[in-house]
Amino acid sequence: MNQTAIAAMENVHTAGAVADMSQSMPTVPGWLIGPVVRMARAVNPIVLRAAGRSAIPIAVVFHSGRRSGRHYATPVIAFPTGNGFVITLPYGSGTNWCQNVLASGRGSIRWHGVDYWALRAAVVGPGEALPLLSSGLRRLMRLVRIRQFLIIHATPEARNQPIHQPKEHVSRLD
C-alpha cells in the first residue's frame, strides 16, 4: 500500500467525529431501495451460508443493534486493505447495520474464513476510499458510482476469544 493510501486511511473521521450521520448518500435510487431490501431479506440467509468463506468475495459484518442489543450478521461487499477493509455502501450510510457499527464502535468482519475485530470505523467518500483500492476496483467503483464507503480498521481476532455468537445472529440488510 502506498503512503498516500495509508495517510488517507489514518486521517478519516472516526465514528464519533462524523459531523452529520444523517447524510446518507445511497447509490441505489430511492424508489428502488424498498424492493431491493425486501428481496435481499429473502436471499440473505442463503448468502450468509457462503459469505465470509475462502474464495467467496462477500464478507460478513457481525454487529449488535444499537437499541435492541440483538446480534446481527450482514453480508457486504468488502475489499481488504493494509490494516482493514473498505466496504461499499450502495444504500448509503443510513442503513441500520452501518449505523450500528458506527454507534457501538464494535463488531467484527469475516473475510475468507478469518474473523477480524473492528477497531474503528468511518464513513468516507470516494476521495478517501478509492486510493485504498486497486486500479481495476477504482474504475469499477467509479463506473457504478458508489458515493459512500465504510472504512473499517481491523485486526485478526485472537484464537481463544470468540468474536460473535453465530447461532444468535439474524440476517439484516437495512
Side-chain angles (χ1 to χ4, degrees), residues 14-86:
T14 57
V18 174
D20 187 0
M21 294 304 300
S22 65
Q23 290 188 328
S24 180
M25 299 185 322
T27 302
V28 176
W31 62 270
L32 191 56
I33 290 177
V36 169
V37 167
R38 284 189 292 279
M39 182 186 73
R41 282 187 181 151
V43 174
N44 277 355
I46 297 164
V47 173
L48 282 170
R49 288 185 193 144
R53 294 184 183 182
S54 296
I56 303 294
I58 299 172
V60 180
V61 172
F62 297 98
H63 55 96
S64 297
R66 59 194 179 280
R67 290 183 288 261
S68 69
R70 288 182 62 187
H71 298 286
Y72 296 102
T74 303
V76 297
I77 303 297
F79 305 102
T81 65
N83 58 354
F85 297 89
V86 172

